[in-house]
Amino acid sequence: MSVVFAVASGCSADNSLKSAGAAGNFAGDTGGVDVGADDSADAPQPAWFAPRAVVGVVEGVPVLRQLSLQIVDVDLQTVICQIAVPAESGLAASSPDIAAALWLDVTIAPQDGDCAVPPATLGLGIGEIPGDVRAQLGPSGLSDVADSIYGAFSRSPNDATTEVAAFGYAGTPEDLAGDDAATLPPPDGEYVLNPLFLSRLPDGG
């Protein structure tokens, strides 16, 4: 499944997503992607990241199950590596934005061998799917199930903005099969958060 990545700049006061026009095509996972490969003489330049996560919702409370950060080159296309973040690093918290009904605050400790410096903290949320995310579902083959899935949100205080931004979509396996209309707050289940938009790494990434 292919995924279109565009640059996410953050949400405005009306909770609408704003994105730049640059975009690149990626595989939905690292299969078929030359992670760390450099086809030119230039060394990779980590500049962007995209979260991929699994979040369980148990009695209405989000629990982080898995989280990795795809580190992307300045060219907006080359996936340099993935940084795994321990699940115990995430804690349920109050959402900082009305657009995200469920929220997790994640503390990320850099590890030796990381190909880039990740953000020190990251917020992850699940909520109503914004129009700009909905518009990007076609290349991912999800336009027919857009009404049954959710928006995936993030906030990185190390980024150029501390505002909440929608970075992709979220859903249970049943949601992604188009089981029913999405309702808020999201019911209990296991939600996969997949990226469609990139976020900028902190300076020095």
Side-chain angles (χ1 to χ4, degrees):
M1 179 181 294
S2 64
V3 176
V4 174
F5 277 159
V7 182
S9 63
C11 289
S12 63
D14 63 1
N15 297 317
S16 62
L17 181 71
K18 298 178 180 178
S19 62
N25 292 319
F26 290 80
D29 53 31
T30 56
V33 176
D34 293 330
V35 177
D38 184 10
D39 295 331
S40 71
D42 296 329
Q45 300 179 55
W48 308 93
F49 74 95
R52 302 178 68 87
V54 177
V55 174
V57 179
V58 181
E59 297 183 353
V61 179
V63 179
L64 186 63
R65 306 291 196 203
Q66 298 176 30
L67 174 61
S68 63
L69 306 180
Q70 288 186 330
I71 306 301
V72 180
D73 189 80
V74 68
D75 65 5
L76 297 171
Q77 297 187 34
T78 305
V79 178
I80 298 172
C81 74
Q82 292 194 78
I83 295 176
V85 179
E88 58 268 23
S89 302
L91 295 173
S94 298
S95 175
D97 194 292
I98 193 172
L102 299 176
W103 193 261
L104 289 160
D105 283 334
V106 184
T107 301
I108 303 174
Q111 302 292 323
D112 292 341
D114 286 349
C115 69
V117 178
T121 60
L122 181 69
L124 292 174
I126 303 173
E128 182 176 358
I129 192 165
D132 283 36
V133 171
R134 184 182 292 266
Q136 294 290 340
L137 294 177
S140 298
L142 295 170
S143 55
D144 290 342
V145 299
D147 291 336
S148 70
I149 59 179
Y150 298 85
F153 296 82
S154 68
R155 181 177 69 167
S156 174
N158 298 76
D159 202 347
T161 176
T162 59
E163 295 178 328
V164 173
F167 72 90
Y169 61 91
T172 65
E174 294 77 16
D175 294 336
L176 295 170
D179 66 334
D180 205 350
T183 59
L184 295 175
D188 287 5
E190 296 287 307
Y191 291 80
V192 177
L193 282 64
N194 279 313
L196 293 172
F197 298 94
L198 295 173
S199 298
R200 186 177 293 278
L201 283 169
D203 291 341

